[in-house]
Amino acid sequence: MRSARSQSLIETIDVSSWRVDEDFPIFPIGSKPKRLLRCPTVPVQPFLIPGHAYLFKVAHNWRVQQLWSEIIAYRIAAMIGFDVPRCFVAADPEKGEVGALVEFFYGYPGEPASARLVHAVDFLQRLRIDLRSDRPHSIRTNLRLCRRLGLDTAIQWWGRLLTFDALIGNSDRHPENWGFLKQMPADRGTPTWTFAPAFDNGTSLGYELRDDRLREASRPDRLASYIDKGRHHCGWDSLSDAPTPHMALCRRFSEAYPEAKDDMRRLISFDTEQLAEIIEECTRLDVSILFTHDRARFVTALVEARRQQLSLILGV
């Protein structure tokens, strides 16, 4: 079970003494360096789960700000009631590393041990003609897959996911960055499928922009241009199976599936002051990868501008 308490951003989790998972010391999925660690049986912080698995994603090179994008995406999701893995700021002083510590969202104490994560790519790759491509990856194809697995809330879930990705500008929701939890019954009969939390949210929130460009990028006209250039990884169907602008995809989805609109609207019904507080808090943590006040102002303005565009689309 998940702990109800959250990390205070005046502290950093020191993982230098954490045990590396013997089965998966280097986690193979994805392009960024990461290690699978086990929380000590007597953790220092009360919001950590003793003995549970956590993924330590090291921030490096031009992608260092993905640390903060991952943290803020989690905190925004918690604010709006969207399910993403809990995520904390962590460091390994012995190796000189800083990164995001992401809580594994299955295998909690007291839960059945048979649950496992199945990435969407494990199903979709069977449809590929060119194995070098990550297509097909369209909304229509994804919905068909979800229905085959018996997930009758697929339309609502995808509406919420597309809205969340549009809100943070996530451009990396490829088939390895979403999936399902498969639960086998004790008698090894028919498995039960549920949606996994929306993981890997760091390719978002303007992480790639240098600090010296943030003030200029915060101008309303620049924000609008930046948002227009953003693309979700998904296309719409087999005829338009290419990365699609976030807002256009949300508009088309809400028009095709009006029953998802209420769920989509709820995700953007949050208090702007609370958003600003969440983002500003990141400037207070003293780590080697700083989250500056200029970046806090930019990210706040960016999310608010995205929310305003989504409000027009969804009729809020």
Side-chain angles (χ1 to χ4, degrees):
M1 119 183 354
R2 303 191 198 191
S3 170
R5 297 187 62 179
S6 298
Q7 178 190 30
S8 167
L9 282 182
I10 62 171
E11 61 183 329
T12 304
I13 301 170
D14 186 340
V15 297
S16 58
S17 63
W18 286 34
R19 177 172 60 87
V20 176
D21 190 282
E22 296 176 358
D23 295 324
F24 300 100
I26 304 297
F27 204 71
I29 298 296
S31 61
K32 297 177 281 294
K34 56 192 76 171
R35 298 195 297 279
L36 188 59
L37 306 176
R38 289 282 172 179
C39 179
T41 55
V42 184
V44 174
Q45 291 87 355
F47 50 83
L48 297 173
I49 302 173
H52 191 63
Y54 290 80
L55 196 62
F56 183 44
K57 302 172 70 172
V58 180
H60 71 125
N61 298 335
W62 62 275
R63 293 175 170 173
V64 293
Q65 288 296 328
Q66 284 189 336
L67 159 65
W68 293 111
S69 295
E70 199 86 60
I71 296 295
I72 293 170
Y74 157 63
R75 289 181 172 251
I76 289 176
M79 176 182 69
I80 63 180
F82 185 65
D83 193 17
V84 308
R86 296 202 311 156
C87 185
F88 313 108
V89 182
D92 186 339
E94 294 181 2
K95 293 183 172 65
E97 295 174 333
V98 176
L101 189 69
V102 184
E103 184 179 293
F104 255 47
F105 43 84
Y106 58 98
Y108 288 105
E111 288 186 349
S114 58
R116 71 181 182 92
L117 172 66
V118 180
H119 295 85
V121 69
D122 293 346
F123 294 100
L124 296 176
Q125 66 185 357
R126 303 170 191 173
L127 305 176
R128 292 179 183 171
I129 298 175
D130 182 357
L131 296 181
R132 296 169 297 179
S133 169
D134 55 10
R135 322 303 299 189
H137 195 217
S138 70
I139 294 298
R140 297 282 195 174
T141 301
N142 295 345
L143 287 174
R144 286 197 297 271
L145 167 60
C146 295
R147 291 182 184 122
R148 287 176 188 172
L149 297 178
L151 294 164
D152 55 8
T153 60
I155 288 175
Q156 288 74 19
W157 189 84
W158 271 101
R160 287 163 61 82
L161 180 66
L162 292 177
T163 303
F164 177 69
D165 282 343
L167 192 62
I168 66 172
N170 184 2
S171 60
D172 202 33
R173 189 69 67 197
H174 55 71
E176 288 183 355
N177 276 355
W178 69 277
F180 313 95
L181 291 178
K182 179 182 180 181
Q183 178 69 58
M184 292 299 301
D187 61 2
R188 310 302 293 176
T190 303
T192 300
W193 297 88
T194 56
F195 287 108
F199 54 89
D200 277 353
N201 301 304
T203 308
S204 61
L205 297 171
Y207 77 95
E208 79 284 3
L209 296 177
R210 300 194 313 265
D211 282 357
D212 60 2
R213 295 180 56 193
L214 293 175
R215 291 193 179 186
E216 178 72 11
S218 298
R219 287 172 31 192
D221 59 325
R222 297 284 185 169
L223 286 174
S225 175
Y226 182 78
I227 292 170
D228 288 346
K229 292 176 183 176
R231 296 290 184 274
H232 197 280
H233 191 279
C234 283
W236 179 249
D237 56 22
S238 59
L239 297 178
S240 52
D241 184 19
T244 303
H246 291 99
M247 300 303 163
L249 197 57
C250 284
R251 182 185 299 278
R252 189 161 189 181
F253 191 91
S254 66
E255 292 173 349
Y257 303 105
E259 63 269 37
K261 272 192 174 184
D262 284 346
D263 283 88
M264 298 171 77
R265 288 169 178 148
R266 276 191 283 271
L267 289 196
I268 59 173
S269 300
F270 56 84
D271 181 70
T272 303
E273 291 186 4
Q274 187 178 0
L275 169 70
E277 289 173 3
I278 287 172
I279 296 173
E280 183 64 25
E281 189 180 10
C282 296
T283 66
R284 303 173 197 160
L285 193 63
D286 185 16
V287 291
S288 59
I289 301 172
L290 294 178
F291 189 79
T292 65
H293 289 284
D294 280 347
R295 189 167 294 274
R297 285 187 286 269
F298 167 74
V299 172
T300 302
L302 178 63
V303 175
E304 181 58 29
R306 290 183 178 280
R307 193 255 288 269
Q308 290 175 9
Q309 289 199 20
L310 286 166
S311 296
L312 293 173
I313 290 169
L314 298 173
V316 176

